[in-house]
Amino acid sequence: RLRTVLDWATTAGLREGDVITAVDGEPFTRDERLWELGQAVGGSAPVTLTVRRGGQTLNVTIGPPSD
């Protein structure tokens, strides 16, 4: 499952060093929500991640590839 999540994240444009700050608009803290992130991203619906990249905040939608 981790490999699939990483593939989706890379395809969506996430980069090494990006810091996830929210998942579907809900604040993300690594300790509390890492497991939830894996479950959400592993589902069949897209998930929007808010990420900090350098001095910018971006929204990136990841999910299963279209058939």
Side-chain angles (χ1 to χ4, degrees):
R1 184 188 291 274
L2 178 59
R3 180 45 134 174
T4 301
V5 170
L6 292 174
D7 288 345
W8 292 348
T10 301
T11 299
L14 287 179
R15 299 180 188 165
E16 185 176 340
D18 286 352
V19 177
I20 299 171
T21 59
V23 178
D24 282 338
E26 295 292 322
F28 178 80
T29 59
R30 187 179 309 192
D31 294 339
E32 296 172 7
R33 304 221 30 205
L34 187 57
W35 184 84
E36 291 176 40
L37 174 62
Q39 293 299 310
V41 173
S44 59
V47 175
T48 299
L49 305 178
T50 303
V51 299
R52 189 174 61 239
R53 180 181 294 161
Q56 297 182 322
T57 298
L58 309 166
N59 288 315
V60 178
T61 301
I62 64 173
S66 313
D67 291 334

